[in-house]
Amino acid sequence: MLVWFVPFLTANAQISVAPKIGLSYTKLSGDFTNARFMPSAVVGGMIDVRFSEAVSLQTGVLLSGKGSRLYYDETDEDAYVISYFEVPLNFVIATGTGMGKFQFFGGPYVAYAANATYKYLADEDDLKEKISIGTSPQDEIKPGDIGVNAGIGYWFEGLEVQAGYGTSLTNISNKNNEKLKNNIIFFTIAYYINLGPRSRYYSLHKR
């Protein structure tokens, strides 16, 4: 059934692709009681499948930096940095008149931890230590992360600006009796290029 349904949706949708970049503030919640937000970045590519002027679906692959600053005192602060390949699946509702549209979006994401590093900052001359990723007992964090994103945005002739919040639904720590979750506040910009096809709805609407 799904095999027949997906081509039908694609044939009746406007498909666009975009590079996407942005800034983020990330924090680990859970058993890291000294965690604070730290700046990071988001970069990647997105696909927008628009079924009407009000409804679309956005997905893609993003390289997203997450983690936390860990505060001990005024002279001792470290960083717990994790880089994820993330695949979001956001449902977008657009509203407004004219070429500009306000957006409300939300949906799940799945992510894979590509690299993790513990950085000793002020007191250790920026020394780095590898954080092990895996599912064996000696590994510190799990390779996978599942969560949700939600936010608002504005679209104008292919240019899209979004702001949102994402959080883990699963525990990313692999240690017994330790709980950690990713939290991220993000601000992104993307420019979508239409690949077509334009549906009959768009053809009629633009006349």
Side-chain angles (χ1 to χ4, degrees):
M1 185 70 177
L2 185 61
V3 174
W4 293 96
F5 186 60
V6 172
F8 172 78
L9 289 179
T10 304
N12 289 271
Q14 180 179 348
I15 301 173
S16 304
V17 297
K20 188 170 190 174
I21 59 173
L23 298 175
S24 62
Y25 292 91
T26 74
K27 180 181 177 181
L28 291 170
S29 61
D31 291 340
F32 282 4
T33 57
N34 60 337
R36 294 186 173 184
F37 279 98
M38 72 175 185
S40 191
V42 179
V43 62
M46 296 292 291
I47 299 174
D48 180 272
V49 182
R50 186 169 298 191
F51 306 113
S52 71
E53 285 204 340
V55 180
S56 64
L57 180 67
Q58 292 184 348
T59 188
V61 178
L62 302 172
L63 180 61
S64 180
K66 298 185 181 183
S68 272
R69 283 189 178 271
L70 302 178
Y71 179 83
Y72 298 99
D73 59 46
E74 293 182 358
T75 60
D76 188 0
E77 192 173 16
D78 299 335
Y80 199 103
V81 182
I82 313 171
S83 297
Y84 284 94
F85 287 109
E86 182 176 314
V87 178
L89 185 62
N90 290 326
F91 297 89
V92 183
I93 302 297
T95 181
T97 59
M99 299 300 293
K101 301 289 183 182
F102 288 99
Q103 298 175 323
F104 302 90
F105 67 89
Y109 72 79
V110 294
Y112 176 81
N115 185 62
T117 306
Y118 192 94
K119 296 182 178 181
Y120 299 88
L121 300 179
D123 62 331
E124 300 281 351
D125 297 324
D126 292 338
L127 295 177
K128 298 179 182 179
E129 181 178 302
K130 189 80 170 179
I131 297 173
S132 58
I133 303 170
T135 56
S136 61
Q138 65 268 25
D139 293 319
E140 294 186 51
I141 63 170
K142 299 174 182 177
D145 178 28
I146 299 174
V148 291
N149 292 314
I152 58 174
Y154 187 77
W155 174 298
F156 181 77
E157 295 187 344
L159 181 66
E160 177 187 81
V161 179
Q162 290 184 336
Y165 174 77
T167 185
S168 300
L169 296 178
T170 57
N171 181 17
I172 67 167
S173 176
N174 200 49
K175 295 181 179 179
N176 290 332
N177 302 318
E178 182 180 74
K179 294 182 179 180
L180 292 177
K181 291 186 177 182
N182 286 305
N183 299 274
I184 179 171
I185 301 170
F186 56 86
F187 307 90
T188 60
I189 185 169
Y191 185 76
Y192 284 87
I193 301 170
N194 179 43
L195 298 182
R198 286 183 177 270
S199 67
R200 182 173 179 271
Y201 171 87
Y202 282 94
S203 298
L204 292 173
H205 184 78
K206 294 299 182 181
R207 287 178 182 175

